[in-house]
Amino acid sequence: MKKIISGLQATDSLTLGNYIGSIKSLVELQNENNLYVFIADLHSITVPIDPKDLEKNRKSIVCLYKACGLDFKKSKIFYQSSIIEHSHLAYILMCHSNLGELNRMNQFKSKSLKQSNKTETIPTGLLIYPCLMAADILLYDADIVPVGSDQKQHIELTRILADRFNKKYKSKIFKIPEFYPPKIGGRIMDLLDPTVKMSKSSENKKGTIFLLDKIEDIRKKIMGSKTDSLNKVNFDIENQPGVANLLTIYSSLSGLSIKEIEKKYINKNYGDLKKDLAEIVCKVVEDIQKKYNDAKNNKNLDKELKLNSSVCKKEAHNKIKEIHKILGLEYEY
Ligand code: AMP
Ligand code: TRP
């Protein structure tokens, strides 16, 4: 049994990329492992966000977690901000990181460009984002971290920070976690521009499927997705990125291998592929939406979150006490 931790930001509504790249693997892993899943609401304030939107998004993610099949009794599900030890450890790790390594993070570079074109006004929260993420992971001695491939660099930095701290203080306080991408679908691409990641914040929403989109809109987005003029259902990321992306989604949601799908469409065209894929995606999303509406009316969810939170808080608090001792900050409180 492994200890697993992962989180999703509450910046906007969740996408099919979030589902395939993260939530789906978490649901599959929860039976055999000790799973911690949180709503990364502190990460959401690294970019400007209206408090009303944040409040709405974080509640909606709880319901979506439930709707996607996470079991609140089996797994520990909680709000990151409800356990202040996360931000406390983030501060300690920040003091063990350096500007160069934080500056090199791809996500920092792309997100800061979106926020500002002047170094002077880039939000500091974006720079220190990976230290908070490392704290989320190291606080609970996680063995593996299931995330999409965009987060690989952050996990690598987490490993470096943990190892640096252990060596500096000659301790084994931090477990070195492993990056754990999904078997398929670690990077679902935008439907209109298959060279960029499907993202919550894309300008053209027609390239992104949101889990709470109207079913008919999802069908339209898939039918309108960008392919190419070869009209051959073939998995070739370099020359046919749009079709490769559709095949990846198809494979992840149907359980068929890419080879099996290619064979199925050997004498068919992209229209056939899109129609069938739309059917598969709509069925999955429709089921999630039905359960989402039930979850919204479930009065027990809040109680379950609080219970989970108090268990995790105890664990996090004990870990911080040990860290304080190592740093010479021991004090009974
Ligand atoms: P975020 O939306 O940035 O909070 O991401 C939450 C989780 O979803 C992380 O594990 C990401 O790696 C994953 N994720 C986000 N977008 C995609 C995507 N387009 N394809 C695969 N995984 C994704
Ligand atoms: N940074 C992650 C993302 O955007 C979300 C996240 C925050 C996370 N803390 C984490 C994921 C800890 C895994 C473990 O996708």
Side-chain angles (χ1 to χ4, degrees), residues 283-299:
K283 201 157 167 266
V284 170
V285 177
E286 217 166 358
D287 182 52
I288 292 175
Q289 291 186 357
K290 227 183 273 153
K291 293 184 178 143
Y292 174 79
N293 287 327
D294 295 341
K296 276 207 305 196
N297 299 321
N298 184 340
K299 302 258 180 315

Side-chain angles (χ1 to χ4, degrees), residues 5-11 18 22 36 38-41 43 80 86 107 111 129-130 132-138 142 144-148 150-151 154-155 158 197 200:
I5 189 142
S6 197
L8 273 98
Q9 290 182 74
T11 320
N18 292 134
S22 168
Y36 291 61
F38 58 93
I39 295 92
D41 47 6
H43 276 109
Q80 181 189 34
H86 285 242
Q107 183 177 293
K111 280 199 180 176
Y129 181 113
L132 177 57
M133 181 158 166
D136 299 334
I137 298 166
L138 300 177
I144 60 173
V145 189
V147 276
D150 59 331
Q151 297 301 313
H154 289 158
I155 308 298
T158 302
K197 189 186 84 162
K200 296 166 177 172

Side-chain angles (χ1 to χ4, degrees), residues 40-137:
D41 47 6
L42 289 176
H43 276 109
S44 301
I45 59 166
T46 56
V47 290
I49 184 164
D50 187 314
K52 284 203 188 79
D53 289 336
L54 181 53
E55 193 184 352
K56 191 176 91 212
N57 293 343
R58 64 208 281 272
K59 283 190 184 144
S60 163
I61 293 181
V62 170
C63 296
L64 275 171
Y65 275 166
K66 178 92 179 164
C68 290
L70 282 175
D71 183 334
F72 285 48
K73 291 209 169 70
K74 251 185 232 158
S75 305
K76 294 180 190 69
I77 297 160
F78 59 95
Y79 292 119
Q80 181 189 34
S81 60
S82 71
I83 301 179
I84 49 175
E85 282 76 2
H86 285 242
S87 36
H88 184 72
L89 180 55
Y91 172 75
I92 292 173
L93 293 172
M94 247 181 263
C95 296
H96 291 80
S97 66
N98 57 59
L99 268 184
E101 61 199 0
L102 296 180
N103 240 322
R104 274 194 294 279
M105 293 291 113
N106 296 330
Q107 183 177 293
F108 169 68
K109 287 192 253 179
S110 63
K111 280 199 180 176
S112 49
L113 271 181
K114 269 192 206 162
Q115 290 301 320
S116 164
N117 54 10
K118 286 198 232 104
T119 321
E120 284 286 306
T121 52
I122 292 173
T124 318
L126 286 179
L127 184 73
I128 59 178
Y129 181 113
C131 297
L132 177 57
M133 181 158 166
D136 299 334
I137 298 166

Side-chain angles (χ1 to χ4, degrees), residues 157-172:
L157 183 64
T158 302
R159 292 166 59 89
I160 291 171
L161 293 176
D163 184 56
R164 182 179 298 156
F165 194 98
N166 285 349
K167 288 204 171 110
K168 180 168 180 187
Y169 300 101
K170 298 188 181 48
S171 82
K172 288 193 175 134

